Structures are given as structure tokens and as C-alpha cells.
Amino acid sequence: MVTISVVKQVLDANDRIAQENRRLFDEKGIYVINLMSSPGAGKTSLVERTIEELRQRYKLAVIEGDIQDTYDAERVAALGIPVVQINTGGGCHIDANMVREAMADLPLDGVDLLIVENVGNLVCPAEFKVGENDKIMILSTPEGADKPSKYPLMFHESSVLLINKMDLMTHVSFDLTKARADALKCNPALAIFEVSCKTGNGLDGWFAWITEHIERFKTRTA
Amino acid sequence: MHEMSLSASLLAIVSDYAGRHHFSKVNTLRLSFGALSCIEPRSLELAFGVLSQGTPAQDARLEFDIQPVVVKCLTCERESASEEFPCPCPQCTSSEVILMKGTEELKLLEMDVD
Ligand SMILES: Nc1nc2c(ncn2[C@@H]2O[C@H](COP(=O)(O)OP(=O)(O)OP(=O)(O)O)[C@@H](O)[C@H]2O)c(=O)[nH]1
Ligand SMILES: [Mg+2]
Ligand SMILES: [Zn+2]
Ligand SMILES: [Zn+2]
């Protein structure tokens, strides 16, 4: 018997494709976010709000990951924004290869911001890079404030946490202080915004963050 | 949750090495990951057992080296290992801690082969 030393990330192949995607995005000057949350936390609602706010200023495109239907993609297409649907066929996350294939079907020239809406799942999307600049996550108040302690990885990996459905907070007795504190323990650099995609409250902070990051990326790749 | 894709990636690495190192049977695969990385060893074994049928890694044993959670305390500034997270500082019980280690991705460290 022989022992062979390997020391390799098992997701190395995915990471390599993610890097290739990233290189292409860099060439084209596209800032990319990977949007993650539990099912129904408000990803598509945030995509719609963000499109409405930024569409005058920037060219946008969207990749929708869904286990089955195409409903989310239709919501985005209704706004007249190029969108490609990835059906993961029961898969629990989007991987770099799925994004690479979707990119072939998107008109990417001149796009400033590409939003990838991941599968609704708090567990594994954070482990699969797709070539994004930043991971953005949503926690909605009805899910409860214990999520950062149950799923620390996603909070650790994300740049932004949007606490959504603030309009429901008093009805669902969400412990905002605990959620914020535990999220910051996972990741002290996390930018946190308290928002409602229903009323629009609090979204200005998010719009400012994303605009600043698109602009910063442009000056870097220009 | 995605033990199938992890197993498929593992088998791709094994097959790559089998070609270069000319072995026909894998006895053990030693893996490591962080305690908080959401990997469930039993599910991974199950998925790997199914997918490895008919490959050199069929019947291979998976050994897991689980990397502990390490927190840094903002009050006493010490780093310590912890069984769980979030947790108070194991040294001074302050609740002002940040996560330092424990989310490491799945890695294949080495394999015993014939
Ligand atoms: N009250 C309230 N409802 C909201 C808010 N944001 C979204 N919703 C509702 O929550 C439901 C789910 O929202 P989506 O935006 O589809 O959530 P999602 O994360 O894209 O869902 P999946 O893609 O299925 O995982 C919809 O009925 C939305 O109208 C909010 O801030 N407040
Ligand atoms: Mg959606
Ligand atoms: Zn998964
Ligand atoms: Zn301490």
C-alpha cells in the first residue's frame, strides 16, 4: 500500500471555472453579485426593486436559478431586462459551470451589473463560487433571528446582509439586536441594511452600496 | 445537501491521480473540512458509496479530519477553540467574539492506494 499526498480543494474544478467566468466579467467590465437566501426571503423582489432603481443609470442582466419553474425569470423579463433561467433540476445550488453556460445565452456587452439569483437555500450556495465580485444575502424577519447561529458560513462569506420584511417585524417578534450581533460575529465586515421590499423602506442604503461598488469596480477595470 | 456533487468532484480527482500514479484500488481517502461548513459525513459516505461503484475507489473508507471552530475574543484578545458557534469567549465569557476558523472547505488530503 502507498500513501499519496494530494491536498486539494475538492471544489477546485468549480473554483477554476469560477475564475474563468471572473476573467471574462473583468474583460467586459461587469460587476457581478451572487444573491442568496432561504426560499421566499425576497430575492426576486429585491432584484425587481434594484432594476427599477438602477435601470436609468446602468445596463443590467439577470441569471435566475430555480429548482423547477420559470416564474422568477418571467417577473424579470416583464421588466424588459435580459434574463436567463437556469433550471438546476432539483440541485440545491448554482455552480460555476451553470453560470458559464447561461452566459452564452445573455447579451453581455455593455452590461454594468449582472445579478445571479441563487436557489433558495441557506446551506450550500455559499460554498460554490460562480465568478461573482460579492455575495449578497437576505434574511427575512419571519425566518427568525437564530439563522446566523445555525448557518454561519453564509454570513461569513457575504459582503452584505439585507434584513428584509421589516414591515412584518413586529408581527413575527423578530429579535433584530440578536440577528445583527450574531451576524457580525460571523463576519465583522458585513454591511447590514434593514429593508422592506414591499414598502421600499431602507432600500436607499442598499442602492448607495451597490452603486458605489459598481463605480469602484469601473475605475479599477477601466 | 450536495453530497452527490462533492462525491463526483472527489472521484474526478481520484481518477486523475489513478491515471498518473498507476494504482488500481483506493483503500482510504483522508478528507478535512471546517466544523461549520455544513458537510454531513454520513451523507457524504452514502453518496460516495453509490457513485464510486465500478471505480478504483469502490469500497474505499472515508476518514474525516474536522477542523475546529476558533473564535477571537474582542475583550481579552485571545483566540480559542470552541465546540460550537456562536459562543461566549471560552476564556473570559465575554460575548464579543468573532469567528476566525471553522468554515474551511472540503479538502482531499491524501489517499492510501494499492
Ligand atoms: N410583507 C413583505 N413581503 C415581502 C417582502 N419582500 C418580499 N415579500 C413577499 O415574499 C414572497 C416571496 O418573495 P420573493 O421575492 O419571490 O422571494 P424569493 O427569495 O425570490 O423566493 P424564491 O426564489 O422562491 O426562493 C412574495 O410573496 C413577496 O411579495 C417584504 O419586504 N415584506
Ligand atoms: Mg425568487
Ligand atoms: Zn448544494
Ligand atoms: Zn475573552
Side-chain angles (χ1 to χ4, degrees):
Chain A
M1 190 159 82
V2 192
T3 299
I4 300 176
S5 167
V6 184
V7 194
K8 208 174 171 118
Q9 305 275 11
V10 170
L11 294 179
D12 199 42
N14 184 73
D15 292 353
R16 272 206 309 274
I17 299 171
Q19 275 166 22
E20 286 166 21
N21 292 351
R22 183 65 260 157
R23 210 170 307 133
L24 202 120
F25 293 139
D26 279 341
E27 267 169 38
K28 295 193 178 288
I30 306 175
Y31 180 76
V32 183
I33 61 173
N34 183 355
L35 182 59
M36 309 178 294
S37 79
S38 301
K43 295 179 294 299
T44 310
S45 304
L46 184 77
V47 170
E48 291 168 326
R49 287 281 188 176
T50 306
I51 289 171
E52 282 162 24
E53 176 70 19
L54 299 185
R55 64 182 310 158
Q56 304 296 341
R57 183 159 177 192
Y58 297 119
K59 196 164 166 196
L60 312 174
V62 175
I63 294 177
E64 284 288 344
D66 245 317
I67 293 183
Q68 293 219 330
D69 57 66
T70 60
Y71 182 60
D72 285 353
E74 283 163 16
R75 282 166 66 183
V76 173
L79 298 172
I81 297 296
V83 56
V84 173
Q85 164 87 34
I86 301 176
N87 271 324
T88 60
C92 41
H93 58 266
I94 289 181
D95 66 30
N97 197 43
M98 296 175 193
V99 167
R100 175 161 71 180
E101 284 170 10
M103 281 156 65
D105 296 330
L106 268 181
L108 287 177
D109 285 340
V111 167
D112 303 295
L113 171 66
L114 172 66
I115 304 177
V116 180
E117 177 180 336
N118 219 305
V119 178
N121 174 359
L122 273 187
V123 183
C124 52
E127 292 188 50
F128 290 79
K129 298 177 189 76
V130 300
E132 69 274 35
N133 296 81
D134 283 290
K135 292 186 168 72
I136 310 293
M137 71 167 296
I138 302 176
L139 170 67
S140 63
T141 56
E143 293 171 70
D146 59 348
K147 289 294 176 292
S149 45
K150 282 194 178 148
Y151 306 102
L153 178 66
M154 189 162 291
F155 292 81
H156 183 69
E157 299 286 314
S158 295
S159 307
V160 173
L161 166 64
L162 293 134
I163 303 181
N164 189 33
K165 307 196 186 179
M166 285 300 289
D167 56 299
L168 299 180
M169 185 168 95
T170 50
H171 305 286
V172 295
S173 60
F174 178 78
D175 188 342
L176 182 60
T177 315
K178 176 179 162 55
R180 290 190 74 113
D182 284 353
L184 289 171
K185 283 176 196 172
C186 301
N187 177 4
L190 194 63
I192 304 180
F193 301 105
E194 295 160 21
V195 305
S196 167
C197 287
K198 187 177 178 190
T199 66
N201 277 345
L203 284 169
D204 285 352
W206 158 246
F207 296 147
W209 190 97
I210 187 80
T211 305
E212 186 194 325
H213 281 74
I214 294 169
E215 290 300 321
R216 203 188 285 172
F217 178 68
K218 277 184 185 302
T219 46
R220 220 180 59 209
T221 49
Chain B
M1 294 197 73
H2 46 256
E3 284 74 15
M4 282 295 179
S5 35
L6 290 177
S7 299
S9 306
L10 258 176
L11 284 166
I13 299 175
V14 171
S15 132
D16 179 34
Y17 274 73
R20 285 189 279 142
H21 292 258
H22 309 291
F23 55 81
S24 54
K25 181 164 170 35
V26 183
N27 300 307
T28 312
L29 291 168
R30 256 180 299 285
L31 303 161
S32 80
F33 62 87
L36 298 176
S37 67
C38 302
I39 290 162
E40 180 45 67
R42 298 290 85 79
S43 321
L44 188 58
E45 279 172 348
L46 199 70
F48 189 81
V50 172
L51 283 186
S52 61
Q53 292 300 312
T55 78
Q58 176 171 345
D59 302 325
R61 206 156 49 87
L62 302 186
E63 283 181 9
F64 297 98
D65 174 7
I66 302 179
Q67 309 285 110
V69 176
V70 175
V71 293
K72 179 171 182 165
C73 174
L74 301 180
T75 307
C76 72
E77 294 186 349
R78 282 178 290 194
E79 282 191 14
S80 13
S82 165
E83 290 290 305
E84 47 175 21
F85 181 82
C87 59
C89 169
Q91 314 239 21
C92 78
T93 73
S94 158
S95 66
E96 302 291 308
V97 299
I98 55 177
L99 182 61
M100 302 300 285
K101 287 190 188 141
T103 59
E104 293 82 0
E105 282 180 43
L106 186 65
K107 253 193 213 143
L108 175 56
L109 300 178
E110 53 182 31
M111 40 193 173
D112 294 337
V113 301
D114 284 325

